[in-house]
Amino acid sequence: MKGYSKLFLGVTIMALFSLLFNQETSAQRNHPRAKRAHVRQHQVRKIDNVRALRVIRRTNLTIRHAQKMVYANKVYTGDFSKAVHHQRYAKVLLRRGKSHRAMLHSRLARQFAFQAIKHNKGVVSDDLNFTAEENEIFGDNIQNEELEKELKTELPDLIFDDSKVSDKELTELEVLDMDPSDYKSE
């Protein structure tokens, strides 16, 4: 009888430990913080895409203003062409899911557009300048030279000539005032 009780006691203790160990690991998997971390990462990605779109739209407006100034005064420095090409590349990066990198290229495009405006005797209005939120997003981590080198390695055949950039090439940079679904079909 004593042998059976020791055996029963041993099996019971082993079962209890395995049950406790199993509960502990499943509790870790079902912990609410583990799920929240995954959701937060997904939400951050969405927020970054929204911010990137906002930056790209504002840069589009700046490029449009620079286009008007370059076509009116005909001072070709290459800055306008650089702005257009960096903005295009920013949109490519956004489609690839690299929203922060897209914002950085869009920032550089806007800086080149500012230079084109100034060289063509224009004035950069306050609504086109960088906002405090944009400056916070950009940070100081990546230099402009690195972004220019990245563009040249991705697209080695680019020629930065303002006179060669046409209206036809800028149609992809248009900013829609309303959603395409809002247009009435007639």
Side-chain angles (χ1 to χ4, degrees), residues 2-48:
K2 286 185 178 181
Y4 287 116
S5 63
K6 284 184 182 179
L7 182 63
F8 182 71
L9 182 64
V11 170
T12 309
I13 289 174
M14 286 175 42
L16 182 65
F17 277 122
S18 67
L19 183 65
L20 286 174
F21 180 71
N22 189 20
Q23 287 293 330
E24 184 177 324
T25 58
S26 66
Q28 288 174 351
R29 271 185 270 132
N30 296 330
H31 197 274
R33 275 194 233 146
K35 290 180 183 176
R36 273 191 257 140
H38 177 69
V39 171
R40 281 187 194 143
Q41 184 182 20
H42 185 66
Q43 288 174 345
V44 167
R45 229 180 278 136
K46 281 185 179 179
I47 290 171
D48 283 349

Side-chain angles (χ1 to χ4, degrees), residues 7-171:
L7 182 63
F8 182 71
L9 182 64
V11 170
T12 309
I13 289 174
M14 286 175 42
L16 182 65
F17 277 122
S18 67
L19 183 65
L20 286 174
F21 180 71
N22 189 20
Q23 287 293 330
E24 184 177 324
T25 58
S26 66
Q28 288 174 351
R29 271 185 270 132
N30 296 330
H31 197 274
R33 275 194 233 146
K35 290 180 183 176
R36 273 191 257 140
H38 177 69
V39 171
R40 281 187 194 143
Q41 184 182 20
H42 185 66
Q43 288 174 345
V44 167
R45 229 180 278 136
K46 281 185 179 179
I47 290 171
D48 283 349
N49 285 342
V50 170
R51 287 179 176 176
L53 280 172
R54 197 175 308 139
V55 168
I56 286 174
R57 283 186 182 134
R58 291 190 49 160
T59 302
N60 284 346
L61 294 173
T62 307
I63 289 174
R64 284 289 180 205
H65 182 60
Q67 177 190 20
K68 291 175 188 173
M69 298 307 299
V70 168
Y71 285 154
N73 295 313
K74 308 276 191 241
V75 177
Y76 302 125
T77 60
D79 292 332
F80 177 66
S81 177
K82 287 180 183 180
V84 170
H85 290 298
H86 275 283
Q87 185 70 350
R88 279 190 194 143
Y89 188 60
K91 292 179 89 171
V92 168
L93 288 174
L94 187 64
R95 278 186 236 120
R96 290 181 187 167
K98 298 179 180 181
S99 57
H100 188 261
R101 202 73 176 178
M103 286 187 276
L104 293 175
H105 276 279
S106 188
R107 170 187 57 101
L108 186 57
R110 198 179 314 176
Q111 289 173 346
F112 281 127
F114 289 159
Q115 290 175 4
I117 291 168
K118 289 176 184 173
H119 288 299
N120 284 281
K121 303 172 188 162
V123 178
V124 177
S125 62
D126 289 336
D127 58 325
L128 298 177
N129 272 323
F130 297 109
T131 63
E133 179 190 6
E134 288 173 338
N135 285 328
E136 180 185 325
I137 293 169
F138 299 144
D140 296 330
N141 53 355
I142 297 177
Q143 299 296 321
N144 292 346
E145 293 81 22
E146 183 181 336
L147 295 171
E148 288 185 60
K149 186 186 289 186
E150 180 184 346
L151 179 68
K152 287 178 184 177
T153 55
E154 284 289 319
L155 305 167
D157 297 333
L158 283 181
I159 299 172
F160 299 115
D161 186 7
D162 292 348
S163 62
K164 303 248 184 212
V165 177
S166 67
D167 286 332
K168 185 178 179 183
E169 292 176 331
L170 296 178
T171 56

